[in-house]
Every structure is written in C-alpha cells, then in structure tokens.
Amino acid sequence: MADMEKTAAHDELKGHVSPGLETSSDDNVSIGKGDLLSQEHVDPVLDAKMHLINNAIDEIGYTRYQLKLFFLNGFGYAVDSLILLLQSIVAPYAYPELNPGGWAYGMTVAVYVGMLIGALFWGLSADIIGRKYAFNFSLLISSVFCIVAGASPNWAVLGTFIALAAFGSGGNLVLDTTVYLEYLPSRYSWTLTLMASWWGAGQFVAGLFAWAFIPNYSCQIPGHSNICNWHTNPGWRYVLFASGALVLIMSLLRVTVIKLRETPKFLVGEGRDAEAVDTLQYIATRYNRPCSLTLERMQACGAVNGGVPSDRRGSVTAHARKRASFAEVGLHLKGLFTTRKLGLSTSLIWFSWTLIGLAYPLYNVFLPIYLRTRGAALGGLSQSEQWTYYAAANLCSIPSPILAGYMCKSRWFWGRRGTMIIGALITMVFFFAYTQVRTNAENNGFTCAISFCLNIYYGTLYAYTPEVLPTAHRATGNGIAIGCNRIMGIISALVATYANTATPVPIYVCAALYIVMSLTAAAFPFEPLGARSS
C-alpha cells in the first residue's frame, strides 16, 4: 500500500507541469528532469518531495534572490582564501618582531587547525540546526578575530587569533556552495563552479593589501638584524587590520542585503513542508514568477524517513532523538554511505580533497627552496616588485573558474568529471615544467599558469562535492571533505620542517599526485551534468 502511494505521488508530481509550462522559458526546460540520487532508493518519499521542490525552483527560475546569494556566498570563498594567505604574508614579518624563539611554521599550523575545526563544527551543525546561522555569523567571527590579531603582543597570541579567524572563515566555506546550490535552478548549476572566482578574488585582495603596506611599513629584510617593533614594522599589522575591516563589511552586507530564509531542501528533510512551500512562494511573489507548488501536493507524498534505508524507518526527520549527541553525528555519517554507490562517491570525494590538500601546500613550501639549490637566478627584486608579481599570480586564478563553468556544462568535456581530469593533468604538466625555472620572468610566468590551471580543478571539485551529496547530510559530507584538506595542510607544515627540501623528490611527488586526482575524478560514480541535485 505504501509503495502504491509513493508511486502515485511520483506520477502526480511528474504529470503536474503542463507542456506549455515546460517550454515557456529557458528556466523551465529542466522541469521534470531526473534528480541525481533518486535512483538510490534510500527514501522514495523524500525523493518525491525533492522532485517537487526542484520543479518549483526550476519553475521560478533565476531571480535577483539567487544573484544576491552568488555575491554574498562568494564573499565566503574570498574570505577563506584571504585568511589562508594572510598567515603566509604576515608570518615572515611578524616573526622577527615578536621573537618567539619557537616554530617558524606555527602560523601555518594555526590557520589550518582553525579551518579544520571550523569546517567540522559548522558542517555538522548546519545539518542539525540549519544553514542560515553559519551564513549570518561565520564571517562576523572571522572579521573580529582578524582585526584583533593585528594587535597581538607575541607569537602565541597571534597564532591563537589567526586560528579563531580561520575557524569562522573555514566553517563558512562549507555553507557557501550548499546554500547557493539549494536555491539554484538546475539550468544554472554551472554557476556553482563559477563561484570559485571569488576564491581568486580573495587571494588578489590579500596580495594588494600586502603590496600596499608591507614594502613601506616593514623591516627591510625579514629575519635579519633590523630593529623590528610596532613603530618600525607595522606593515603586517596594517594588513590584518585592513583585511579584518573588509571582512566586517562583508559580514554586515550578508545580514542587510538579504534576509536569508532556511533553504527549502533542508526544511523538507526536517519534515517542515509548510515552511518550504512558503519560502518558495515568497520568492515567486517577490520577483513576480510563477510557482504552482502547494502544501497539499507535498503532503500527498507522505512522511520522509530521515534519509535512512526503508527497513530502518522510525523517524520523520533526518535526526536522532537527541540532536546534541553522538547518535546525531553518526546518523549523518551513515547517511553518506546508505548505498554502495553513494558510499563510493563519498569516499572518492574525501580522497580527492585529501590529495589536493597535500599537493598544493607542499608545492608552495618546497619549490622555492628546490629552485635555489638548482641555481635559479631568482631574487634581486624590490619588495614592491615581489608583491606586484604576487598579485599578478593571484589575479590569474580569477578567470579560470569561468572557463571551468563553461566546460562543466558542455558534454564535449564530459561534464564535471572531465573538467576535473583536464584541470588536474594540465596542472601536473606545469608542475613538472616548473622545476626547470631559472629566471624571475620564467618564475612569474609559470606561477601564473599554475594558478590558472589549478583553479579549473579546484573550482570544479568545490562545486561537484555538494552536488552529489544527499541534502539531509550535505553539509556534514562537505565539512568532512574540507576537513580532510585542512589536515593535509597541517601535515605539509610538519613535512616542511623535517624533510629534506633540497631534493627534487617532493616536487615530483606533488606533480604525481595530480595524476592520481585525475584518475579519481574518472572513477566518480555520479555525473551531475543533465541531472538535478537531490
């Protein structure tokens, strides 16, 4: 009897949209198309409701609401890369002034620890209490501690505040793609990859702040016998103050430009159908768009079982009896492995994030030292010239997600998986070629090329991850994926401290990792091209 009701619900929702509606606009041509995870049969009722929600979002189309989210969620991308690069910018100038007598790579560990905890905390909490809280508060947390870090009296305090700033930005990044995706018409899913351009924008801003303050307000040569104190060496503090102020403005824009409502897909997983329908009807009314979804049609599908296999039903939401419990965490983890195919997909995604998390930091750590041991004629540049090159390299990472977005929506490039394969392999080629750099011009050129090519892979992976995760457990899976990346960042600092950085082996290992990334992308079991996120 239950199966007959589900079948009827599926038939009803598929037959609801009239032929005229399906072809009335470009936004509506995808109404009724398949949902990515619906064939996994974890929860047929939830699948039916998600299909209705996807139909409604496609019917409404792309509005100024989604456009606002593109910019406001893009701020999170920018802040994550901004905070990540700040520690590498300020550490060489703060170290001689604060005289820690300790670990030179301490800031690297601090920022990755903060981002690791932030990704796990906000990722898990977003599946428990909702998406909008991280959206509203994470950037504010990051901005406050970034500003306070500029007044740090010693190395340990600086590391603490950098970690706290990273806690906010790293956690926010988990929700950027999730929130945007869950409001996004399927025809515009490629813009999720395009959002990675904000990552490059954050790096570019960090380079501009360094270019503006470091050359004119710093000890001449970091680490030498110059007298470095707050009066002679305030440049790194100015960088933190300026960056924190910018992030504060972004955080205020998030709560003033848009009053974010909880995403409809999260509400459906919670069993809150009325709120989900009300949210979509609100957007449709505000922007004068059609929306035929009604509460009666949602309720006709039945009650969801929380995204667990049908033989273990007993809850009407995707939660344990006590939300603040290990059982709650276990439920969301189990939800990522409910079928063999879904478990394989989750494992390969986490593995990919682990690989890129190790390869890219090691490249940054080892390559300059390796080049010096091979007689590269680098250096001799003024600080202003160095930061000019730095800003140029970061600028090159902005347009590559635009190219990746075009590739992702084209069958010529095999969709998302093909784009990641191409991006990883091209990056590998430039990694190997980079070992032959001998001049400043070559160094700058190859740095720009790698910055461009790497973001084709990175930007696509960022978008692909939430697309293939089930809604009820999307933030958890995304948070753990990014957490794997942060763990490898910590390991890279340890390797840089104790490994022999004068040999070519680490460089070739980093390049070879990109071959493994491309093979992993080819093995992904789901391809979002032509389907809608569940």
Side-chain angles (χ1 to χ4, degrees), residues 35-279:
D35 300 324
L36 189 62
L37 303 182
S38 61
Q39 299 303 314
E40 295 305 291
H41 305 297
V42 173
D43 187 344
V45 173
L46 183 60
D47 289 342
K49 292 189 175 185
M50 286 298 173
H51 194 86
L52 283 171
I53 294 293
N54 278 332
N55 281 353
I57 294 174
D58 281 342
E59 183 182 1
I60 294 170
Y62 199 91
T63 69
R64 289 197 305 276
Y65 192 86
Q66 284 89 350
L67 183 62
K68 291 176 182 178
L69 286 177
F70 178 82
F71 283 90
L72 296 175
N73 282 299
F75 290 166
Y77 263 85
V79 171
D80 184 84
S81 63
L82 176 68
I83 298 297
L84 186 60
L85 261 70
L86 280 182
Q87 59 84 23
S88 64
I89 290 172
V90 305
Y93 298 90
Y95 190 88
E97 175 189 338
L98 301 179
N99 191 25
W103 193 14
Y105 289 103
M107 288 303 105
T108 301
V109 173
V111 75
Y112 276 109
V113 167
M115 288 186 166
L116 169 62
I117 297 174
L120 296 177
F121 174 82
W122 291 107
L124 289 170
S125 66
D127 279 336
I128 298 173
I129 63 175
R131 279 67 160 126
K132 67 178 181 180
Y133 296 102
F135 179 87
N136 288 334
F137 296 114
S138 55
L139 286 192
L140 179 62
I141 293 172
S142 187
S143 65
V144 169
F145 287 112
C146 185
I147 293 173
V148 174
S152 298
N154 57 57
W155 190 246
V157 171
L158 177 61
T160 300
F161 287 131
I162 287 291
L164 290 171
F167 169 79
S169 65
N172 176 83
L173 188 61
V174 177
L175 274 300
D176 293 329
T177 50
T178 298
V179 170
Y180 185 59
L181 174 67
E182 293 184 357
Y183 275 109
L184 192 62
S186 59
R187 182 172 177 266
Y188 292 86
S189 60
W190 63 274
T191 63
L192 197 63
T193 302
L194 180 62
M195 189 180 284
S197 292
W198 286 98
W199 174 274
Q203 292 178 317
F204 180 60
V205 169
L208 291 181
F209 282 148
W211 187 11
F213 295 115
I214 295 295
N216 299 319
Y217 301 99
S218 300
C219 295
Q220 293 183 358
I221 304 176
H224 283 222
S225 59
N226 310 77
I227 298 176
C228 291
N229 54 45
W230 193 311
H231 300 290
T232 63
N233 192 45
W236 65 272
R237 298 181 187 273
Y238 292 163
V239 171
L240 289 172
F241 291 148
S243 299
L246 178 62
V247 178
L248 179 61
I249 293 173
M250 291 179 177
S251 68
L252 294 177
L253 289 174
R254 278 195 163 189
V255 296
T256 55
V257 172
I258 193 171
K259 186 177 181 181
L260 182 71
R261 293 188 169 209
E262 194 56 78
T263 68
K265 292 186 177 182
F266 173 80
L267 293 172
V268 169
E270 294 275 285
R272 295 153 62 182
D273 293 350
E275 293 177 61
V277 173
D278 180 67
T279 295

Side-chain angles (χ1 to χ4, degrees), residues 489-532:
I490 297 171
I491 292 176
S492 70
L494 299 175
V495 173
T497 302
Y498 300 107
N500 182 0
T501 57
T503 70
V505 174
I507 303 299
Y508 289 108
V509 169
C510 288
L513 287 175
Y514 283 91
I515 300 177
V516 181
M517 290 179 214
S518 66
L519 294 175
T520 303
F524 284 152
F526 296 113
E527 172 51 56
L529 180 64
R532 305 185 299 190

Side-chain angles (χ1 to χ4, degrees), residues 204 207-208 210-211 215 382-395 444:
F204 180 60
L208 291 181
W211 187 11
S382 67
Q383 285 199 28
S384 180
E385 289 174 323
Q386 292 176 33
W387 292 114
T388 301
Y389 285 159
Y390 188 81
N394 290 328
L395 183 62
N444 187 47

Side-chain angles (χ1 to χ4, degrees), residues 454-492:
L454 179 61
N455 255 24
I456 294 177
Y457 174 85
Y458 224 152
T460 308
L461 181 63
Y462 261 116
Y464 178 86
T465 300
E467 281 189 293
V468 299
L469 294 173
T471 294
H473 318 292
R474 178 172 286 136
T476 297
N478 204 9
I480 293 175
I482 297 175
C484 292
N485 181 278
R486 307 316 187 193
I487 290 173
M488 291 299 103
I490 297 171
I491 292 176
S492 70

